[in-house]
Amino acid sequence: MNLAQKGIITSVKQIAMRTTEVVIKVPADFNFIAGQYIWLQIPILKYPDVKGNTRMFSISSSPNKKGELGIVFRNTESGYNKTLTEIIPETEVIFSGPFGPLKLPENNSLPIVFLAGGIGVSPFLSMIRFSNENHSSRKIILIYVNTNEKEIVYLDELRKIEKENSNFKLYCTCGLLKERVLKDSLGELINQKVIWSVIGPKGFVDFVSKYLNEKGISPQDIIFEQFYPDPSLKND
């Protein structure tokens, strides 16, 4: 169902440097697949924005959390972004979705490697949480890159999942991604049949793509999520 629906903001909080989490109460029958996104419309902009009052956000929460969904984003100076970071809980919003083909593959036998740059980790969070809650036998490796440690989101939760779930492995690094980090993190996986998924800023995606291509991995075997299909409407 992709029709516009009403939601209610229940929580707005800063969870890392220049990073905000928003939780939205949604109808109990709203369902989505881990990895999908919504369009979120704010009724009134507190600050003007030439791009309007609607933006796209990947859902970071698990589909198992019925009646609510979470989004996480970097704070910017856009009127939309500033309004959303200051929005008062109990504010009614309009959302539509879910949208997007990104999802966990049905074949559990192949390991999946998520390579996330910055807030590109959002849809991966939903898939990791969902897979962990469902005690999936799928092996997931997350290589998570941020500018600095203060911008890392949900690190404690990810470390807890890694500690309790032998099928999940976390590699977290800061600064510019280097080939050495990929080599050390991937190990023999680079020579095995693996599902690859890459999301992040253009420079990050280009660097990872080049590395994987040089290792003999075809672009056709890599899932690239076009996070914001229309640059004019991205949350910046």
Side-chain angles (χ1 to χ4, degrees), residues 154-168:
Y154 307 114
L155 181 58
D156 289 344
E157 178 186 354
L158 290 169
R159 284 176 172 167
K160 184 174 185 292
I161 293 174
E162 181 184 35
K163 184 178 180 180
E164 298 174 350
N165 186 345
S166 61
N167 290 320
F168 175 66

Side-chain angles (χ1 to χ4, degrees), residues 204-223:
F204 171 84
V205 172
D206 289 347
F207 180 86
V208 173
S209 302
K210 181 174 181 293
Y211 178 86
L212 295 179
N213 185 252
E214 289 174 348
K215 298 301 179 182
I217 298 170
S218 169
Q220 295 180 342
D221 294 327
I222 307 170
I223 300 169

Side-chain angles (χ1 to χ4, degrees), residues 43-125:
I44 300 175
L45 288 174
K46 185 176 179 180
Y47 306 95
D49 192 318
V50 294
K51 297 178 183 177
N53 65 339
T54 304
R55 294 292 193 280
M56 185 191 82
F57 294 93
S58 286
I59 303 170
S60 58
S61 54
S62 167
N64 289 331
K65 274 199 166 184
K66 300 299 182 183
E68 73 171 44
L69 57 83
I71 59 174
V72 58
F73 55 91
R74 297 295 194 210
N75 302 340
T76 70
E77 290 302 309
S78 76
Y80 179 98
N81 191 294
K82 290 173 66 177
T83 299
L84 187 54
T85 58
E86 296 178 15
I87 205 163
I88 300 172
E90 302 304 320
T91 297
E92 188 175 277
V93 292
I94 301 295
F95 72 97
S96 58
F99 302 102
L102 187 64
K103 63 179 181 179
L104 289 165
E106 294 181 3
N107 185 353
N108 271 5
S109 65
L110 293 178
I112 183 166
V113 177
F114 293 142
L115 296 112
I119 210 63
V121 75
S122 294
F124 294 154
L125 286 167

Side-chain angles (χ1 to χ4, degrees), residues 7-8 21 24 84 86 127 172 236:
I8 297 175
E21 174 198 76
I24 307 166
L84 187 54
E86 296 178 15
M127 291 188 275
C172 195
D236 60 358

